[in-house]
Amino acid sequence: MMTTVVRNSEFFLLWLLMLSSTFTLFFMFFPQAFLVKHKEVPPLAVPVGQQGKDDTQARCDLFTGKWVRELREPAYNSSTCLTLSELKNCERYGKDQDFLNWRWKPDDCDLHRFDPEEFLHIVNSKTMMFVGDSLSRNHMDSLLCLLSKVEKPINVYKDEEEKTYTWYFKSSNFTLKNIFSKFLVQGKERTINGTGTGVFDLQMDKTDIEWANKLDRTDYIVMSNDHWFFRKNYLHENGKLIGCTFCTETNLTEINLNTAIKKATRTALKFIRNNEKLKTLTLLRTFSPAHFEGGTWDNGGYCNRTRPLESEKRLNEIEWEIRKGQVEELERVRGEGGVKEFGLLDVTECMMVRADGHPGTHWNNVWMKGFSDCVHWCLPGAVDVWNDMLLQVMKRFSSFH
Ligand SMILES: *[C@@H]1O[C@H](CO)[C@@H](O)[C@H](O)[C@H]1NC(C)=O
Ligand SMILES: *[C@@H]1O[C@H](CO)[C@@H](O)[C@H](O)[C@H]1NC(C)=O
Ligand SMILES: *[C@@H]1O[C@H](CO)[C@@H](O)[C@H](O)[C@H]1NC(C)=O
Ligand SMILES: *[C@@H]1O[C@H](CO)[C@@H](O)[C@H](O)[C@H]1NC(C)=O
Ligand SMILES: *[C@@H]1O[C@H](CO)[C@@H](O)[C@H](O)[C@H]1NC(C)=O
């Protein structure tokens, strides 16, 4: 039992996150709720008819909208998706499945449900790589489950620490990879007497070679940068210490979290842009909010809501700022031109109200008894919408299908 638990790197990562109380510093610093105002988007004037519909679909802002109540069949379950992780299998651990009965409705159009056949058709003979932390893995796990309806993939590679996975879909010659990278840039944990401290030295101008060396023949990159920055980290540029996030030393420059995430995002995007051998579509997924209430990881925080948050959108200001920073970096790299394509999977707004979508205590937490996971997302669940969006966004880049 112990061996299986320890071998499960996701479990280990959760545990690491939990141990590091600095991870939650941020939640203590910014506990206030606030309202995010909706930008008023005028309706698009398009002719009625098929042509018009396609046009609306192609131009519609998929990321601004609301969740509407709708009874729907789950897209998959643990008997149809054999790769469903124990940590996200909320149904098995007693979560009421009514939280699945919500549909994301963009203000100006409808978002189609993920169509696995269409997706596999587009990615025929292509390779897609997910790069990021355990939330990136969460996203890929959802995609695997959605695709399993059509075809059971073959796991062709898994490293010892279960940080890199490769799946292969034979019928469409499609390769799907996941590469674990906490920061996208190089990060090395400080140790004391061989024990990790949860504090990292980050080289903000150097991409993490874990993924940077594996981009050969990659057509699609889905990249993200989330929660590992919510801790004390030492930041370096040109090999020189420039400061830290959540500093405790008074002789060092305090660098805000948003700046750190922006720098890492910029370095990663620039690396892809400057890699001459690559012809890729890179999609940057924006920040995925956590929903602890009444505390944090390690002091009784929970997330037991059974409905999405209503009208007012509860979100910490800094989470919205992080998203804004990511969007700016994406626009920056797009503005620099070049042959590579860059797009956005802007999930922050739709996820910020889904306080009901996390495993909470509904997971196999024997080992971490009593702790709530309010960071990752249940499968099936709200996170599946990331792939509804992924497919529609991919279709907008016509040179990639
Ligand atoms: C899973 O879905 C399949 C197909 O829709 C269905 O036959 C099966 O009963 C479901 N299993 C569970 C545990 O809900
Ligand atoms: C599978 O895709 C690769 C490119 O990823 C291509 O080189 C190869 O020829 C394809 N194989 C088949 C059988 O289509
Ligand atoms: C590291 O180990 C040495 C020798 O066992 C011990 O004297 C020292 O106190 C330890 N340092 C810390 C910070 O635990
Ligand atoms: C900051 O102070 C610590 C002692 O508190 C010292 O070890 C460190 O070298 C100092 N760093 C800089 C950049 O001056
Ligand atoms: C959620 O958990 C808190 C703390 O345990 C409890 O006070 C509250 O009643 C719970 N809410 C629901 C809807 O179960």
Side-chain angles (χ1 to χ4, degrees):
M1 179 61 195
M2 197 60 179
T3 340
T4 21
V5 165
V6 173
R7 273 178 50 82
N8 189 323
S9 73
E10 276 181 276
F11 212 125
F12 177 66
L13 294 172
L14 274 174
W15 178 71
L16 254 186
L17 280 176
M18 190 203 76
L19 277 191
S20 164
S21 56
T22 40
F23 162 70
T24 49
L25 266 179
F26 147 80
F27 295 106
M28 291 182 263
F29 285 172
F30 307 98
Q32 79 282 14
F34 89 117
L35 306 183
V36 177
K37 287 232 173 63
H38 255 289
K39 215 173 46 221
E40 287 299 328
V41 184
L44 293 171
V46 283
V48 190
Q50 196 53 45
Q51 193 61 39
K53 268 188 205 149
D54 283 342
D55 205 39
T56 311
Q57 189 67 34
R59 285 190 289 147
C60 171
D61 170 8
L62 302 171
F63 312 122
T64 304
K66 58 179 185 300
W67 292 92
V68 294
R69 182 104 179 118
E70 185 178 288
L71 292 179
R72 21 169 41 198
E73 265 300 293
Y76 52 86
N77 61 36
S78 52
S79 20
T80 60
C81 176
L82 300 175
T83 55
L84 193 56
S85 147
E86 284 287 287
L87 299 176
K88 325 271 168 47
N89 190 347
C90 300
E91 187 199 7
R92 177 172 298 169
Y93 295 98
K95 187 177 172 82
D96 186 318
Q97 296 294 285
D98 189 50
F99 83 104
L100 295 175
N101 292 319
W102 296 90
R103 175 170 64 90
W104 176 250
K105 169 75 180 80
D107 288 342
D108 299 327
C109 60
D110 283 318
L111 175 60
H112 298 308
R113 252 184 131 162
F114 186 84
D115 179 342
E117 275 159 21
E118 187 179 23
F119 181 90
L120 286 174
H121 178 72
I122 290 175
V123 297
N124 195 294
S125 294
K126 300 242 161 90
T127 296
M128 175 177 280
M129 186 190 277
F130 280 77
V131 183
D133 63 14
S134 54
L135 277 157
S136 170
R137 173 70 194 279
N138 205 170
H139 185 181
M140 188 201 68
D141 282 344
S142 157
L143 181 60
L144 275 174
C145 283
L146 291 166
L147 293 173
S148 69
K149 242 187 173 164
V150 172
E151 184 178 345
K152 307 265 179 285
I154 310 163
N155 180 214
V156 290
Y157 178 78
K158 176 165 93 173
D159 70 1
E160 273 179 22
E161 293 176 292
E162 303 190 3
K163 288 183 170 184
T164 304
Y165 272 87
T166 305
W167 300 90
Y168 181 65
F169 292 78
K170 199 157 180 284
S171 70
S172 50
N173 187 25
F174 169 55
T175 304
L176 181 58
K177 291 186 193 177
N178 176 247
I179 296 190
F180 182 79
S181 176
K182 297 184 197 73
F183 304 102
L184 299 181
V185 293
Q186 289 177 20
K188 194 166 186 297
E189 190 171 5
R190 289 196 174 185
T191 56
I192 295 175
N193 283 351
T195 307
T197 59
V199 176
F200 289 77
D201 281 294
L202 306 184
Q203 308 298 328
M204 301 308 293
D205 49 0
K206 297 193 178 69
T207 44
D208 181 2
I209 54 166
E210 289 293 328
W211 65 269
N213 284 354
K214 294 177 184 138
L215 288 183
D216 269 9
R217 291 193 301 272
T218 300
D219 303 283
Y220 300 94
I221 303 170
V222 182
M223 175 172 275
S224 53
N225 214 346
D226 285 292
H227 294 266
W228 284 82
F229 284 89
F230 290 83
R231 61 177 61 228
K232 182 177 181 183
N233 286 320
Y234 293 98
L235 274 49
H236 303 258
E237 248 167 28
N238 291 316
K240 283 208 295 262
L241 184 63
I242 56 165
C244 41
T245 49
F246 303 104
C247 283
T248 45
E249 293 90 339
T250 50
N251 62 351
L252 291 180
T253 307
E254 170 75 33
I255 295 175
N256 94 27
L257 181 68
N258 188 24
T259 306
I261 294 182
K262 268 178 83 95
K263 277 178 186 291
T265 308
R266 189 179 311 173
T267 298
L269 293 175
K270 216 160 105 185
F271 177 84
I272 292 170
R273 185 185 174 276
N274 292 344
N275 186 328
E276 281 170 12
K277 281 183 288 184
L278 281 178
K279 181 177 182 290
T280 48
L281 169 57
T282 302
L283 299 174
L284 182 68
R285 175 183 55 74
T286 61
F287 191 73
S288 168
H291 292 92
F292 288 99
E293 290 182 65
T296 56
W297 271 102
D298 39 7
N299 63 4
Y302 56 87
C303 44
N304 58 359
R305 289 180 185 256
T306 53
R307 296 174 67 90
L309 303 176
E310 289 192 19
S311 56
E312 87 276 20
K313 310 202 156 189
R314 186 174 166 281
L315 182 78
N316 291 299
E317 183 172 7
I318 194 144
E319 296 188 323
W320 194 247
E321 282 300 308
I322 291 171
R323 172 214 164 263
K324 228 174 86 191
Q326 292 171 321
V327 173
E328 279 166 16
E329 290 308 321
L330 201 271
E331 277 165 4
R332 178 198 302 274
V333 76
R334 263 186 183 162
E336 286 168 355
V339 294
K340 292 183 189 72
E341 301 275 16
F342 293 91
L344 201 61
L345 281 181
D346 189 0
V347 304
T348 310
E349 176 174 330
C350 79
M351 299 315 274
M352 67 196 181
V353 293
R354 292 313 303 266
D356 58 334
H358 300 284
T361 53
H362 300 292
W363 58 293
N364 179 8
N365 66 351
V366 178
W367 205 38
M368 282 178 33
K369 209 160 180 46
F371 291 99
S372 285
D373 180 357
C374 305
V375 173
H376 302 95
W377 304 96
C378 293
L379 297 177
V383 69
D384 294 323
V385 80
W386 298 6
N387 289 312
D388 299 341
M389 291 171 174
L390 173 66
L391 175 56
Q392 297 310 319
V393 171
M394 282 164 61
K395 283 163 67 177
R396 293 178 181 187
F397 290 87
S398 54
S399 57
F400 279 86
H401 59 86

